[in-house]
Amino acid sequence: MAARIAIASDHAAVALKATLAAWLRAEGHEVTDLGPATDASVDYPDYGFALGDAIAHGRADMGIALCGSGIGISIAVNRNPAARCALVSEPLSAALARRHNDANVIALGARLTGEDMAKACVRAFIDTAFEGGRHQARVAKLAHLAQEPV
């Protein structure tokens, strides 16, 4: 099933972003590249915020966030309460992020994850459905500000 996927990176991940975007389009997905277009130095929060906004406003069903480590851009994406971005490095984590956490964005580190592994993670992410059930109430809590500790 084709998905609407937004993809964004910083300068460290432009090459991986281009590779993944082309591959996803060849697989029949609608891909929106939120930039950047070159490897000139940029600030990852700007692109993470744009990706979170695309998810929040329904311009994409899923997202892929990329930076050198995946850490910074995942933090930026998660500043938007509508985004549930999981930093992953292998397919099982990508699948579990969808199955248990209803993640709508995954983050990958371009300096840490090779092209084949990145594709395997994206494939697992796209092909896995949210399980719901016992996980639904927990995921619903993620859209709210922090509550009193238990």
Side-chain angles (χ1 to χ4, degrees):
M1 182 172 138
R4 295 178 310 139
I5 302 169
I7 190 167
S9 73
D10 71 355
H11 54 277
V14 169
L16 181 59
K17 178 172 61 78
T19 297
L20 292 175
W23 171 69
L24 287 165
R25 286 183 182 113
E27 294 278 315
H29 299 287
E30 178 185 324
V31 179
T32 302
D33 185 338
L34 300 175
T38 72
D39 63 359
S41 184
V42 296
D43 297 330
Y44 63 82
D46 298 334
Y47 295 90
F49 295 158
L51 182 50
D53 190 67
I55 293 294
H57 289 94
R59 294 189 301 273
D61 305 312
M62 300 177 142
I64 301 167
L66 307 164
C67 70
S69 67
I71 297 167
I73 201 163
S74 68
I75 293 169
V77 171
N78 279 323
R79 298 291 293 165
N80 190 312
R84 291 177 303 281
C85 180
L87 175 59
V88 303
S89 59
E90 38 66 40
L92 179 57
S93 292
L96 289 172
R98 286 284 307 132
R99 187 174 300 127
H100 291 178
N101 307 113
D102 198 20
N104 48 20
V105 181
I106 58 168
L108 296 159
R111 293 180 177 147
L112 307 173
T113 308
E115 183 180 307
D116 290 339
M117 183 59 74
K119 287 180 180 179
C121 290
V122 170
R123 166 82 61 221
F125 177 69
I126 292 170
D127 289 350
T128 303
F130 178 49
E131 192 172 276
R134 64 189 171 102
H135 304 289
Q136 185 62 53
R138 296 170 184 152
V139 169
K141 287 182 177 185
L142 296 174
H144 301 1
L145 295 176
Q147 300 173 1
E148 291 294 318
V150 178

